[in-house]
Amino acid sequence: MNEIIVVGGGFAGLWSAIGAARRLDTLRIGADRVGITLINRDAWHGIRVRNYESDLSELRVPLDSVLGPAGIRLIEGEVLNVDPNARYVVVKTSDGQRDVNYDRLILAAGSRVSLPEIPGLAMHAMNIDTFDEAERLDRHLKALSLRVPTEGRDTVLVIGAGLTGIEAACHMPQRLKAAGIDTGRVILADRLPHIGSDMGEHARPFINQALENLDIETRTAIEIAAVDDGGVTLADGERIVADTVVWCTGMEASPLAGCLPGTRDHWGRLPVDVFMKLEGIENV
């Protein structure tokens, strides 16, 4: 029996698996001839683009509820390696580590938040890249009112003024009030000269007006030198005091792309042809 393996249960992976199942059904090819397995680190499809919201209860869908009716098998585990020559992936599950063979592989592991080697960043900053990180931020915000009132306690610094950072910042005033912080301060910062620089000049006035209406402060053309539990230090030595630092500066491709041949770009992405096939390998 041939096996299609899909790595990643996000939008791309989920639709790839369902699309394959639909096509096989159209061709009247049964599961006894071609099987489909989706491998994901947990049992959920997460609506990742909404992780900035305060109510996270509707942001996850059980994968089995979608995959099961389509006859697609789910493996909960972390893919550690891909061997394109021997055609297998190495998966770490709760039962241990094992190899899973494939005839055709769809790598839809997506991206992850980019965390440059800034002192203290990985330890002290939060993000909304995953559901777990979004939950961590939510717990942190709800516990702020239990702390001794200080300037830092009432300040949220969102670093990265792309779409995700803007969305996160615009929800912060409401989230702080819900957490019992009535006079919260929200700062949206970026290393580029404008907020929303990649959205085009036509969008800038609307973004700026929305931020102004919400009393969100902005800082541009800054470089973060260090992060600690009380805020950040800029490259010029200036200090921004904030007990809550949310990192939204950009994404990089899944490190699994490094297991496959090809020259990756500065985001870690691999080149593909018009059919999304990896160049030089027919079945990936």
Side-chain angles (χ1 to χ4, degrees), residues 222-226 233-238:
I222 66 169
E223 291 287 343
I224 307 297
T233 302
L234 305 185
D236 62 4
E238 180 187 351

Side-chain angles (χ1 to χ4, degrees), residues 109-114 251-258 264-270:
S111 60
R112 63 182 184 180
V113 66
S114 178
M251 312 301 291
E252 61 187 13
S254 164
L256 289 176
R264 291 176 290 164
D265 65 12
H266 67 284
W267 284 300
R269 301 178 301 180
L270 287 164

Side-chain angles (χ1 to χ4, degrees), residues 47-108:
I47 307 176
R48 183 188 189 190
V49 294
R50 293 174 55 191
N51 279 345
Y52 62 86
E53 296 181 7
S54 56
D55 183 4
L56 304 175
S57 62
E58 297 183 355
L59 302 191
R60 295 202 299 178
V61 177
L63 280 168
D64 259 342
S65 69
V66 182
L67 300 178
I72 300 167
R73 185 167 66 117
L74 172 65
I75 296 177
E76 292 180 46
E78 189 78 24
V79 176
L80 304 178
N81 189 32
V82 179
D83 189 325
N85 297 314
R87 296 190 181 185
Y88 69 85
V89 298
V90 181
V91 186
K92 181 180 179 181
T93 70
S94 59
D95 298 325
Q97 186 172 303
R98 62 188 171 113
D99 299 342
V100 179
N101 296 311
Y102 67 83
D103 295 283
R104 186 158 297 189
L105 175 69
I106 299 172
L107 182 60

